[in-house]
Amino acid sequence: MNEIQLRAFAKINLGLDVLRRRPDGYHEVKMVMQTIRLFDKLHLIKRMDNNITVDTNLSYLPNNENNLVYRAADLLKKEFDLKEGVHIRLYKYIPVAAGMAGGSSDAAAVLFGMNQMYQLGLTLEQLMERGVTIGADVPYCLMRGTALAEGIGEKLTRLPACPNCYVLIAKPGINVSTKMVYENLHANELSIHPDIDGMIAEMARGNLKKMSDKMGNVLETVTTVKYPIINTIKEFMKDHGALGAMMSGSGPTVFGLYTDLTTAKQAYFDLKVSHLAQNVYLTTIFNPTK
């Protein structure tokens, strides 16, 4: 196999709780992660020399070790002493710095692709063990589907699949630093926490409405104060028929869940013409095991 083409899927957080700030500065989290059908495309091609090269469709993205796809390839290349290099073509469609794990998903796809292309024989679990050294979301992006993430995000438990629904995605024209959000989160002083266990129970029952009622993201206590547009978009989605709307990850992307396609499409068109968001997508959840 001299080349492989892959899709790197985005994620949303159906629920995000931060339990505490640890003495080492990391945060203990409890999150429900969900893959959606919005993806980047990657094309990996073997090189006859020993180099790793990257090109993308976005001129401002780095093409060196500052790009997670490069680091993923380099990690396996060094560990297995691969004599051939790889050229990575990355076509970005997931918004950058959006709280949707686009970079982590790209890195996960490269780990998966290198394993296939060079016949390294690593299991999914072994790839996930390596992925966490690149980023906390990389193991989940390898697993995909519906999962509970604990610890710093690396402890994963597969959950019953989220009920099928339509997902309206909106990213306002701002970028949010995850580091800034966590630095300004007073995790040990939070008095209100989302009912993650209740959410999971309703999901298992297939009750999307009750699951949506329990959605929550404690990082909104930081991000929405600094960027009120996030709350504006949330309310817009709810006013346009969403069962629930929430910020994903550290933001600024907002998503709304819909059961009715006609309602979802109308909300999509209304949101597009409102100019509240720079990027607007209508997609569905993605459960590869369902």
Side-chain angles (χ1 to χ4, degrees), residues 15-22 25-31 149 151-152 181-183 185-194 196 216-222 249-250:
L16 196 163
D17 196 10
V18 178
L19 306 180
R20 68 185 182 96
R21 181 184 173 94
R22 304 191 319 192
Y26 287 98
H27 290 78
E28 291 278 346
V29 299
K30 190 172 184 178
M31 307 183 290
I152 61 168
V181 173
Y182 276 99
E183 284 177 350
L185 179 73
H186 303 293
N188 298 334
E189 300 171 17
L190 292 170
S191 58
I192 299 175
H193 295 269
I196 301 292
N217 181 349
V218 297
L219 300 185
E220 289 183 355
T221 60
V222 176
S250 55

PDB file of all heavy atoms in Angstrom, residues 15-22 25-31 149 151-152 181-183 185-194 196 216-222 249-250:
ATOM      1  N   GLY A  15     -22.250  16.708  26.771  1.00  0.00           N
ATOM      2  CA  GLY A  15     -22.183  17.157  28.154  1.00  0.00           C
ATOM      3  C   GLY A  15     -20.733  17.342  28.539  1.00  0.00           C
ATOM      4  O   GLY A  15     -19.876  16.554  28.115  1.00  0.00           O
ATOM      5  N   LEU A  16     -20.429  18.386  29.312  1.00  0.00           N
ATOM      6  CA  LEU A  16     -19.042  18.638  29.702  1.00  0.00           C
ATOM      7  C   LEU A  16     -19.018  19.179  31.127  1.00  0.00           C
ATOM      8  O   LEU A  16     -19.504  20.269  31.398  1.00  0.00           O
ATOM      9  CB  LEU A  16     -18.361  19.622  28.742  1.00  0.00           C
ATOM     10  CG  LEU A  16     -16.828  19.709  28.789  1.00  0.00           C
ATOM     11  CD1 LEU A  16     -16.283  20.390  27.534  1.00  0.00           C
ATOM     12  CD2 LEU A  16     -16.309  20.462  30.022  1.00  0.00           C
ATOM     13  N   ASP A  17     -18.460  18.387  32.029  1.00  0.00           N
ATOM     14  CA  ASP A  17     -18.313  18.804  33.418  1.00  0.00           C
ATOM     15  C   ASP A  17     -16.839  18.779  33.792  1.00  0.00           C
ATOM     16  O   ASP A  17     -16.079  17.933  33.308  1.00  0.00           O
ATOM     17  CB  ASP A  17     -19.100  17.867  34.344  1.00  0.00           C
ATOM     18  CG  ASP A  17     -19.301  18.453  35.737  1.00  0.00           C
ATOM     19  OD1 ASP A  17     -19.000  19.655  35.926  1.00  0.00           O
ATOM     20  OD2 ASP A  17     -19.773  17.715  36.626  1.00  0.00           O
ATOM     21  N   VAL A  18     -16.445  19.730  34.611  1.00  0.00           N
ATOM     22  CA  VAL A  18     -15.093  19.751  35.160  1.00  0.00           C
ATOM     23  C   VAL A  18     -15.231  19.523  36.662  1.00  0.00           C
ATOM     24  O   VAL A  18     -15.892  20.304  37.354  1.00  0.00           O
ATOM     25  CB  VAL A  18     -14.376  21.086  34.872  1.00  0.00           C
ATOM     26  CG1 VAL A  18     -12.987  21.088  35.510  1.00  0.00           C
ATOM     27  CG2 VAL A  18     -14.251  21.304  33.364  1.00  0.00           C
ATOM     28  N   LEU A  19     -14.643  18.454  37.149  1.00  0.00           N
ATOM     29  CA  LEU A  19     -14.838  18.062  38.545  1.00  0.00           C
ATOM     30  C   LEU A  19     -13.915  18.810  39.492  1.00  0.00           C
ATOM     31  O   LEU A  19     -14.308  19.193  40.590  1.00  0.00           O
ATOM     32  CB  LEU A  19     -14.626  16.548  38.690  1.00  0.00           C
ATOM     33  CG  LEU A  19     -15.472  15.673  37.749  1.00  0.00           C
ATOM     34  CD1 LEU A  19     -15.179  14.202  37.995  1.00  0.00           C
ATOM     35  CD2 LEU A  19     -16.949  15.965  37.921  1.00  0.00           C
ATOM     36  N   ARG A  20     -12.676  19.002  39.056  1.00  0.00           N
ATOM     37  CA  ARG A  20     -11.725  19.709  39.926  1.00  0.00           C
ATOM     38  C   ARG A  20     -10.465  20.040  39.145  1.00  0.00           C
ATOM     39  O   ARG A  20     -10.208  19.462  38.091  1.00  0.00           O
ATOM     40  CB  ARG A  20     -11.355  18.863  41.150  1.00  0.00           C
ATOM     41  CG  ARG A  20     -10.535  17.614  40.812  1.00  0.00           C
ATOM     42  CD  ARG A  20     -10.296  16.736  42.026  1.00  0.00           C
ATOM     43  NE  ARG A  20      -9.475  15.567  41.667  1.00  0.00           N
ATOM     44  CZ  ARG A  20      -8.154  15.486  41.827  1.00  0.00           C
ATOM     45  NH1 ARG A  20      -7.488  16.518  42.328  1.00  0.00           N
ATOM     46  NH2 ARG A  20      -7.499  14.390  41.481  1.00  0.00           N
ATOM     47  N   ARG A  21      -9.711  20.965  39.687  1.00  0.00           N
ATOM     48  CA  ARG A  21      -8.378  21.257  39.168  1.00  0.00           C
ATOM     49  C   ARG A  21      -7.378  20.474  39.998  1.00  0.00           C
ATOM     50  O   ARG A  21      -7.369  20.572  41.231  1.00  0.00           O
ATOM     51  CB  ARG A  21      -8.078  22.756  39.242  1.00  0.00           C
ATOM     52  CG  ARG A  21      -6.709  23.151  38.698  1.00  0.00           C
ATOM     53  CD  ARG A  21      -6.452  24.634  38.901  1.00  0.00           C
ATOM     54  NE  ARG A  21      -5.111  25.021  38.543  1.00  0.00           N
ATOM     55  CZ  ARG A  21      -4.754  25.490  37.346  1.00  0.00           C
ATOM     56  NH1 ARG A  21      -5.661  25.639  36.416  1.00  0.00           N
ATOM     57  NH2 ARG A  21      -3.507  25.825  37.102  1.00  0.00           N
ATOM     58  N   ARG A  22      -6.550  19.694  39.345  1.00  0.00           N
ATOM     59  CA  ARG A  22      -5.595  18.849  40.052  1.00  0.00           C
ATOM     60  C   ARG A  22      -4.370  19.665  40.469  1.00  0.00           C
ATOM     61  O   ARG A  22      -4.099  20.742  39.899  1.00  0.00           O
ATOM     62  CB  ARG A  22      -5.161  17.683  39.167  1.00  0.00           C
ATOM     63  CG  ARG A  22      -6.321  16.854  38.653  1.00  0.00           C
ATOM     64  CD  ARG A  22      -5.910  15.564  38.001  1.00  0.00           C
ATOM     65  NE  ARG A  22      -4.736  15.612  37.142  1.00  0.00           N
ATOM     66  CZ  ARG A  22      -4.374  14.629  36.321  1.00  0.00           C
ATOM     67  NH1 ARG A  22      -5.110  13.528  36.245  1.00  0.00           N
ATOM     68  NH2 ARG A  22      -3.284  14.730  35.576  1.00  0.00           N
ATOM     69  N   GLY A  25      -2.101  20.959  37.805  1.00  0.00           N
ATOM     70  CA  GLY A  25      -2.600  21.975  36.882  1.00  0.00           C
ATOM     71  C   GLY A  25      -3.600  21.450  35.876  1.00  0.00           C
ATOM     72  O   GLY A  25      -4.318  22.237  35.252  1.00  0.00           O
ATOM     73  N   TYR A  26      -3.664  20.133  35.683  1.00  0.00           N
ATOM     74  CA  TYR A  26      -4.656  19.558  34.781  1.00  0.00           C
ATOM     75  C   TYR A  26      -6.024  19.538  35.453  1.00  0.00           C
ATOM     76  O   TYR A  26      -6.130  19.655  36.675  1.00  0.00           O
ATOM     77  CB  TYR A  26      -4.250  18.134  34.372  1.00  0.00           C
ATOM     78  CG  TYR A  26      -3.094  18.075  33.405  1.00  0.00           C
ATOM     79  CD1 TYR A  26      -1.797  17.831  33.856  1.00  0.00           C
ATOM     80  CD2 TYR A  26      -3.295  18.264  32.043  1.00  0.00           C
ATOM     81  CE1 TYR A  26      -0.723  17.782  32.973  1.00  0.00           C
ATOM     82  CE2 TYR A  26      -2.233  18.206  31.146  1.00  0.00           C
ATOM     83  CZ  TYR A  26      -0.951  17.960  31.620  1.00  0.00           C
ATOM     84  OH  TYR A  26       0.101  17.911  30.749  1.00  0.00           O
ATOM     85  N   HIS A  27      -7.056  19.380  34.642  1.00  0.00           N
ATOM     86  CA  HIS A  27      -8.418  19.355  35.157  1.00  0.00           C
ATOM     87  C   HIS A  27      -9.036  17.970  34.982  1.00  0.00           C
ATOM     88  O   HIS A  27      -8.926  17.364  33.920  1.00  0.00           O
ATOM     89  CB  HIS A  27      -9.294  20.394  34.435  1.00  0.00           C
ATOM     90  CG  HIS A  27      -8.955  21.810  34.783  1.00  0.00           C
ATOM     91  ND1 HIS A  27      -7.867  22.468  34.248  1.00  0.00           N
ATOM     92  CD2 HIS A  27      -9.564  22.692  35.623  1.00  0.00           C
ATOM     93  CE1 HIS A  27      -7.818  23.691  34.729  1.00  0.00           C
ATOM     94  NE2 HIS A  27      -8.831  23.857  35.571  1.00  0.00           N
ATOM     95  N   GLU A  28      -9.700  17.495  36.037  1.00  0.00           N
ATOM     96  CA  GLU A  28     -10.471  16.250  35.956  1.00  0.00           C
ATOM     97  C   GLU A  28     -11.807  16.573  35.289  1.00  0.00           C
ATOM     98  O   GLU A  28     -12.530  17.472  35.741  1.00  0.00           O
ATOM     99  CB  GLU A  28     -10.726  15.690  37.361  1.00  0.00           C
ATOM    100  CG  GLU A  28      -9.486  15.166  38.051  1.00  0.00           C
ATOM    101  CD  GLU A  28      -9.128  13.752  37.616  1.00  0.00           C
ATOM    102  OE1 GLU A  28      -9.977  13.096  36.993  1.00  0.00           O
ATOM    103  OE2 GLU A  28      -7.993  13.327  37.910  1.00  0.00           O
ATOM    104  N   VAL A  29     -12.134  15.850  34.234  1.00  0.00           N
ATOM    105  CA  VAL A  29     -13.354  16.136  33.476  1.00  0.00           C
ATOM    106  C   VAL A  29     -14.262  14.912  33.431  1.00  0.00           C
ATOM    107  O   VAL A  29     -13.835  13.784  33.699  1.00  0.00           O
ATOM    108  CB  VAL A  29     -13.028  16.591  32.030  1.00  0.00           C
ATOM    109  CG1 VAL A  29     -12.205  17.874  32.036  1.00  0.00           C
ATOM    110  CG2 VAL A  29     -12.306  15.481  31.258  1.00  0.00           C
ATOM    111  N   LYS A  30     -15.507  15.167  33.097  1.00  0.00           N
ATOM    112  CA  LYS A  30     -16.482  14.106  32.841  1.00  0.00           C
ATOM    113  C   LYS A  30     -17.319  14.582  31.677  1.00  0.00           C
ATOM    114  O   LYS A  30     -18.096  15.532  31.819  1.00  0.00           O
ATOM    115  CB  LYS A  30     -17.338  13.833  34.076  1.00  0.00           C
ATOM    116  CG  LYS A  30     -18.218  12.588  33.963  1.00  0.00           C
ATOM    117  CD  LYS A  30     -18.887  12.268  35.301  1.00  0.00           C
ATOM    118  CE  LYS A  30     -19.683  10.969  35.212  1.00  0.00           C
ATOM    119  NZ  LYS A  30     -20.293  10.625  36.531  1.00  0.00           N
ATOM    120  N   MET A  31     -17.134  13.966  30.498  1.00  0.00           N
ATOM    121  CA  MET A  31     -17.716  14.482  29.270  1.00  0.00           C
ATOM    122  C   MET A  31     -18.385  13.363  28.484  1.00  0.00           C
ATOM    123  O   MET A  31     -17.908  12.230  28.478  1.00  0.00           O
ATOM    124  CB  MET A  31     -16.637  15.117  28.378  1.00  0.00           C
ATOM    125  CG  MET A  31     -15.780  16.157  29.047  1.00  0.00           C
ATOM    126  SD  MET A  31     -14.587  16.914  27.898  1.00  0.00           S
ATOM    127  CE  MET A  31     -13.449  15.535  27.621  1.00  0.00           C
ATOM    128  N   ALA A 149     -15.860  10.361  28.562  1.00  0.00           N
ATOM    129  CA  ALA A 149     -14.440  10.663  28.737  1.00  0.00           C
ATOM    130  C   ALA A 149     -14.226  11.178  30.155  1.00  0.00           C
ATOM    131  O   ALA A 149     -14.911  12.098  30.603  1.00  0.00           O
ATOM    132  CB  ALA A 149     -13.975  11.708  27.724  1.00  0.00           C
ATOM    133  N   GLY A 151     -11.014  11.426  33.592  1.00  0.00           N
ATOM    134  CA  GLY A 151      -9.615  11.771  33.803  1.00  0.00           C
ATOM    135  C   GLY A 151      -9.358  13.135  33.197  1.00  0.00           C
ATOM    136  O   GLY A 151     -10.092  14.092  33.458  1.00  0.00           O
ATOM    137  N   ILE A 152      -8.322  13.265  32.371  1.00  0.00           N
ATOM    138  CA  ILE A 152      -8.099  14.523  31.638  1.00  0.00           C
ATOM    139  C   ILE A 152      -8.702  14.413  30.235  1.00  0.00           C
ATOM    140  O   ILE A 152      -8.440  15.235  29.365  1.00  0.00           O
ATOM    141  CB  ILE A 152      -6.601  14.897  31.554  1.00  0.00           C
ATOM    142  CG1 ILE A 152      -5.799  13.822  30.802  1.00  0.00           C
ATOM    143  CG2 ILE A 152      -6.028  15.152  32.936  1.00  0.00           C
ATOM    144  CD1 ILE A 152      -4.384  14.265  30.439  1.00  0.00           C
ATOM    145  N   VAL A 181      -9.506  29.481  28.540  1.00  0.00           N
ATOM    146  CA  VAL A 181     -10.760  29.091  29.190  1.00  0.00           C
ATOM    147  C   VAL A 181     -10.483  28.333  30.480  1.00  0.00           C
ATOM    148  O   VAL A 181     -11.033  28.652  31.543  1.00  0.00           O
ATOM    149  CB  VAL A 181     -11.638  28.247  28.238  1.00  0.00           C
ATOM    150  CG1 VAL A 181     -12.859  27.708  28.972  1.00  0.00           C
ATOM    151  CG2 VAL A 181     -12.068  29.089  27.042  1.00  0.00           C
ATOM    152  N   TYR A 182      -9.604  27.346  30.414  1.00  0.00           N
ATOM    153  CA  TYR A 182      -9.317  26.551  31.612  1.00  0.00           C
ATOM    154  C   TYR A 182      -8.585  27.365  32.674  1.00  0.00           C
ATOM    155  O   TYR A 182      -8.787  27.154  33.876  1.00  0.00           O
ATOM    156  CB  TYR A 182      -8.528  25.295  31.248  1.00  0.00           C
ATOM    157  CG  TYR A 182      -9.417  24.157  30.798  1.00  0.00           C
ATOM    158  CD1 TYR A 182      -9.612  23.881  29.443  1.00  0.00           C
ATOM    159  CD2 TYR A 182     -10.082  23.361  31.728  1.00  0.00           C
ATOM    160  CE1 TYR A 182     -10.440  22.841  29.029  1.00  0.00           C
ATOM    161  CE2 TYR A 182     -10.910  22.318  31.318  1.00  0.00           C
ATOM    162  CZ  TYR A 182     -11.083  22.064  29.971  1.00  0.00           C
ATOM    163  OH  TYR A 182     -11.915  21.044  29.572  1.00  0.00           O
ATOM    164  N   GLU A 183      -7.734  28.288  32.247  1.00  0.00           N
ATOM    165  CA  GLU A 183      -7.033  29.130  33.224  1.00  0.00           C
ATOM    166  C   GLU A 183      -7.990  30.038  33.983  1.00  0.00           C
ATOM    167  O   GLU A 183      -7.728  30.417  35.129  1.00  0.00           O
ATOM    168  CB  GLU A 183      -5.960  29.974  32.521  1.00  0.00           C
ATOM    169  CG  GLU A 183      -4.710  29.185  32.153  1.00  0.00           C
ATOM    170  CD  GLU A 183      -3.696  30.043  31.398  1.00  0.00           C
ATOM    171  OE1 GLU A 183      -4.057  31.175  30.999  1.00  0.00           O
ATOM    172  OE2 GLU A 183      -2.552  29.569  31.210  1.00  0.00           O
ATOM    173  N   LEU A 185     -11.240  29.242  34.544  1.00  0.00           N
ATOM    174  CA  LEU A 185     -12.306  28.453  35.145  1.00  0.00           C
ATOM    175  C   LEU A 185     -11.965  28.168  36.602  1.00  0.00           C
ATOM    176  O   LEU A 185     -10.917  27.600  36.902  1.00  0.00           O
ATOM    177  CB  LEU A 185     -12.465  27.126  34.394  1.00  0.00           C
ATOM    178  CG  LEU A 185     -13.539  26.181  34.937  1.00  0.00           C
ATOM    179  CD1 LEU A 185     -14.931  26.701  34.604  1.00  0.00           C
ATOM    180  CD2 LEU A 185     -13.342  24.771  34.383  1.00  0.00           C
ATOM    181  N   HIS A 186     -12.834  28.567  37.496  1.00  0.00           N
ATOM    182  CA  HIS A 186     -12.623  28.287  38.922  1.00  0.00           C
ATOM    183  C   HIS A 186     -13.285  26.945  39.242  1.00  0.00           C
ATOM    184  O   HIS A 186     -14.358  26.878  39.848  1.00  0.00           O
ATOM    185  CB  HIS A 186     -13.188  29.422  39.771  1.00  0.00           C
ATOM    186  CG  HIS A 186     -12.605  30.773  39.427  1.00  0.00           C
ATOM    187  ND1 HIS A 186     -11.277  31.081  39.670  1.00  0.00           N
ATOM    188  CD2 HIS A 186     -13.150  31.863  38.833  1.00  0.00           C
ATOM    189  CE1 HIS A 186     -11.028  32.323  39.258  1.00  0.00           C
ATOM    190  NE2 HIS A 186     -12.154  32.812  38.743  1.00  0.00           N
ATOM    191  N   ALA A 187     -12.602  25.895  38.827  1.00  0.00           N
ATOM    192  CA  ALA A 187     -13.203  24.562  38.845  1.00  0.00           C
ATOM    193  C   ALA A 187     -13.614  24.113  40.239  1.00  0.00           C
ATOM    194  O   ALA A 187     -14.658  23.472  40.414  1.00  0.00           O
ATOM    195  CB  ALA A 187     -12.227  23.557  38.233  1.00  0.00           C
ATOM    196  N   ASN A 188     -12.817  24.443  41.243  1.00  0.00           N
ATOM    197  CA  ASN A 188     -13.110  23.974  42.597  1.00  0.00           C
ATOM    198  C   ASN A 188     -14.207  24.795  43.276  1.00  0.00           C
ATOM    199  O   ASN A 188     -14.617  24.476  44.396  1.00  0.00           O
ATOM    200  CB  ASN A 188     -11.832  23.991  43.443  1.00  0.00           C
ATOM    201  CG  ASN A 188     -10.763  23.058  42.874  1.00  0.00           C
ATOM    202  OD1 ASN A 188     -11.081  22.085  42.197  1.00  0.00           O
ATOM    203  ND2 ASN A 188      -9.509  23.357  43.142  1.00  0.00           N
ATOM    204  N   GLU A 189     -14.686  25.839  42.595  1.00  0.00           N
ATOM    205  CA  GLU A 189     -15.728  26.679  43.176  1.00  0.00           C
ATOM    206  C   GLU A 189     -17.064  26.533  42.437  1.00  0.00           C
ATOM    207  O   GLU A 189     -18.043  27.195  42.798  1.00  0.00           O
ATOM    208  CB  GLU A 189     -15.290  28.159  43.141  1.00  0.00           C
ATOM    209  CG  GLU A 189     -14.007  28.427  43.915  1.00  0.00           C
ATOM    210  CD  GLU A 189     -13.475  29.839  43.680  1.00  0.00           C
ATOM    211  OE1 GLU A 189     -14.242  30.692  43.191  1.00  0.00           O
ATOM    212  OE2 GLU A 189     -12.292  30.068  43.975  1.00  0.00           O
ATOM    213  N   LEU A 190     -17.123  25.684  41.422  1.00  0.00           N
ATOM    214  CA  LEU A 190     -18.360  25.511  40.662  1.00  0.00           C
ATOM    215  C   LEU A 190     -19.444  24.903  41.540  1.00  0.00           C
ATOM    216  O   LEU A 190     -19.229  23.901  42.209  1.00  0.00           O
ATOM    217  CB  LEU A 190     -18.118  24.601  39.449  1.00  0.00           C
ATOM    218  CG  LEU A 190     -17.231  25.175  38.337  1.00  0.00           C
ATOM    219  CD1 LEU A 190     -16.883  24.079  37.336  1.00  0.00           C
ATOM    220  CD2 LEU A 190     -17.933  26.331  37.634  1.00  0.00           C
ATOM    221  N   SER A 191     -20.616  25.523  41.536  1.00  0.00           N
ATOM    222  CA  SER A 191     -21.719  25.039  42.372  1.00  0.00           C
ATOM    223  C   SER A 191     -22.771  24.274  41.565  1.00  0.00           C
ATOM    224  O   SER A 191     -23.562  23.522  42.123  1.00  0.00           O
ATOM    225  CB  SER A 191     -22.387  26.214  43.098  1.00  0.00           C
ATOM    226  OG  SER A 191     -22.857  27.171  42.157  1.00  0.00           O
ATOM    227  N   ILE A 192     -22.786  24.485  40.248  1.00  0.00           N
ATOM    228  CA  ILE A 192     -23.767  23.819  39.390  1.00  0.00           C
ATOM    229  C   ILE A 192     -23.028  22.948  38.385  1.00  0.00           C
ATOM    230  O   ILE A 192     -22.107  23.412  37.699  1.00  0.00           O
ATOM    231  CB  ILE A 192     -24.652  24.849  38.658  1.00  0.00           C
ATOM    232  CG1 ILE A 192     -25.431  25.688  39.670  1.00  0.00           C
ATOM    233  CG2 ILE A 192     -25.619  24.139  37.703  1.00  0.00           C
ATOM    234  CD1 ILE A 192     -26.243  26.807  39.047  1.00  0.00           C
ATOM    235  N   HIS A 193     -23.441  21.691  38.324  1.00  0.00           N
ATOM    236  CA  HIS A 193     -22.819  20.738  37.405  1.00  0.00           C
ATOM    237  C   HIS A 193     -23.897  20.058  36.572  1.00  0.00           C
ATOM    238  O   HIS A 193     -24.980  19.760  37.075  1.00  0.00           O
ATOM    239  CB  HIS A 193     -22.030  19.676  38.184  1.00  0.00           C
ATOM    240  CG  HIS A 193     -20.857  20.213  38.933  1.00  0.00           C
ATOM    241  ND1 HIS A 193     -19.592  20.276  38.395  1.00  0.00           N
ATOM    242  CD2 HIS A 193     -20.764  20.740  40.189  1.00  0.00           C
ATOM    243  CE1 HIS A 193     -18.765  20.804  39.282  1.00  0.00           C
ATOM    244  NE2 HIS A 193     -19.446  21.085  40.382  1.00  0.00           N
ATOM    245  N   PRO A 194     -23.617  19.801  35.302  1.00  0.00           N
ATOM    246  CA  PRO A 194     -24.591  19.073  34.482  1.00  0.00           C
ATOM    247  C   PRO A 194     -24.767  17.642  34.983  1.00  0.00           C
ATOM    248  O   PRO A 194     -23.837  17.052  35.548  1.00  0.00           O
ATOM    249  CB  PRO A 194     -23.977  19.110  33.080  1.00  0.00           C
ATOM    250  CG  PRO A 194     -22.519  19.316  33.300  1.00  0.00           C
ATOM    251  CD  PRO A 194     -22.400  20.147  34.541  1.00  0.00           C
ATOM    252  N   ILE A 196     -24.535  14.470  34.129  1.00  0.00           N
ATOM    253  CA  ILE A 196     -23.967  13.602  33.090  1.00  0.00           C
ATOM    254  C   ILE A 196     -24.552  12.191  33.176  1.00  0.00           C
ATOM    255  O   ILE A 196     -24.924  11.586  32.157  1.00  0.00           O
ATOM    256  CB  ILE A 196     -22.431  13.556  33.188  1.00  0.00           C
ATOM    257  CG1 ILE A 196     -21.826  14.969  33.030  1.00  0.00           C
ATOM    258  CG2 ILE A 196     -21.857  12.600  32.145  1.00  0.00           C
ATOM    259  CD1 ILE A 196     -21.975  15.572  31.677  1.00  0.00           C
ATOM    260  N   GLY A 216     -25.308  20.145  29.374  1.00  0.00           N
ATOM    261  CA  GLY A 216     -24.687  21.282  30.033  1.00  0.00           C
ATOM    262  C   GLY A 216     -23.189  21.281  29.810  1.00  0.00           C
ATOM    263  O   GLY A 216     -22.584  20.229  29.598  1.00  0.00           O
ATOM    264  N   ASN A 217     -22.592  22.465  29.864  1.00  0.00           N
ATOM    265  CA  ASN A 217     -21.154  22.634  29.633  1.00  0.00           C
ATOM    266  C   ASN A 217     -20.656  23.711  30.589  1.00  0.00           C
ATOM    267  O   ASN A 217     -20.956  24.892  30.411  1.00  0.00           O
ATOM    268  CB  ASN A 217     -20.903  23.037  28.175  1.00  0.00           C
ATOM    269  CG  ASN A 217     -19.424  23.210  27.863  1.00  0.00           C
ATOM    270  OD1 ASN A 217     -18.574  23.240  28.753  1.00  0.00           O
ATOM    271  ND2 ASN A 217     -19.098  23.346  26.588  1.00  0.00           N
ATOM    272  N   VAL A 218     -19.900  23.309  31.606  1.00  0.00           N
ATOM    273  CA  VAL A 218     -19.456  24.277  32.617  1.00  0.00           C
ATOM    274  C   VAL A 218     -18.473  25.302  32.051  1.00  0.00           C
ATOM    275  O   VAL A 218     -18.290  26.372  32.638  1.00  0.00           O
ATOM    276  CB  VAL A 218     -18.823  23.571  33.844  1.00  0.00           C
ATOM    277  CG1 VAL A 218     -19.845  22.705  34.556  1.00  0.00           C
ATOM    278  CG2 VAL A 218     -17.598  22.752  33.445  1.00  0.00           C
ATOM    279  N   LEU A 219     -17.848  24.999  30.908  1.00  0.00           N
ATOM    280  CA  LEU A 219     -16.917  25.968  30.315  1.00  0.00           C
ATOM    281  C   LEU A 219     -17.645  27.203  29.776  1.00  0.00           C
ATOM    282  O   LEU A 219     -17.021  28.245  29.557  1.00  0.00           O
ATOM    283  CB  LEU A 219     -16.091  25.310  29.204  1.00  0.00           C
ATOM    284  CG  LEU A 219     -15.215  24.118  29.616  1.00  0.00           C
ATOM    285  CD1 LEU A 219     -14.373  23.652  28.442  1.00  0.00           C
ATOM    286  CD2 LEU A 219     -14.331  24.458  30.808  1.00  0.00           C
ATOM    287  N   GLU A 220     -18.949  27.086  29.594  1.00  0.00           N
ATOM    288  CA  GLU A 220     -19.739  28.254  29.178  1.00  0.00           C
ATOM    289  C   GLU A 220     -19.659  29.369  30.211  1.00  0.00           C
ATOM    290  O   GLU A 220     -19.824  30.544  29.875  1.00  0.00           O
ATOM    291  CB  GLU A 220     -21.194  27.865  28.931  1.00  0.00           C
ATOM    292  CG  GLU A 220     -21.407  27.021  27.690  1.00  0.00           C
ATOM    293  CD  GLU A 220     -22.874  26.715  27.434  1.00  0.00           C
ATOM    294  OE1 GLU A 220     -23.721  27.084  28.279  1.00  0.00           O
ATOM    295  OE2 GLU A 220     -23.179  26.106  26.389  1.00  0.00           O
ATOM    296  N   THR A 221     -19.399  29.031  31.481  1.00  0.00           N
ATOM    297  CA  THR A 221     -19.309  30.049  32.524  1.00  0.00           C
ATOM    298  C   THR A 221     -18.153  31.018  32.275  1.00  0.00           C
ATOM    299  O   THR A 221     -18.157  32.144  32.772  1.00  0.00           O
ATOM    300  CB  THR A 221     -19.135  29.412  33.919  1.00  0.00           C
ATOM    301  OG1 THR A 221     -17.922  28.631  33.944  1.00  0.00           O
ATOM    302  CG2 THR A 221     -20.319  28.520  34.258  1.00  0.00           C
ATOM    303  N   VAL A 222     -17.189  30.567  31.493  1.00  0.00           N
ATOM    304  CA  VAL A 222     -16.063  31.435  31.116  1.00  0.00           C
ATOM    305  C   VAL A 222     -16.273  32.030  29.722  1.00  0.00           C
ATOM    306  O   VAL A 222     -16.226  33.239  29.530  1.00  0.00           O
ATOM    307  CB  VAL A 222     -14.730  30.654  31.141  1.00  0.00           C
ATOM    308  CG1 VAL A 222     -13.576  31.542  30.659  1.00  0.00           C
ATOM    309  CG2 VAL A 222     -14.451  30.128  32.532  1.00  0.00           C
ATOM    310  N   GLY A 249     -17.172  21.861  23.636  1.00  0.00           N
ATOM    311  CA  GLY A 249     -15.816  22.020  24.160  1.00  0.00           C
ATOM    312  C   GLY A 249     -15.630  23.375  24.808  1.00  0.00           C
ATOM    313  O   GLY A 249     -16.498  23.885  25.517  1.00  0.00           O
ATOM    314  N   SER A 250     -14.493  23.994  24.523  1.00  0.00           N
ATOM    315  CA  SER A 250     -14.209  25.327  25.055  1.00  0.00           C
ATOM    316  C   SER A 250     -14.737  26.422  24.135  1.00  0.00           C
ATOM    317  O   SER A 250     -14.506  27.600  24.374  1.00  0.00           O
ATOM    318  CB  SER A 250     -12.698  25.498  25.265  1.00  0.00           C
ATOM    319  OG  SER A 250     -11.999  25.228  24.063  1.00  0.00           O
TER     320      SER A 250
END
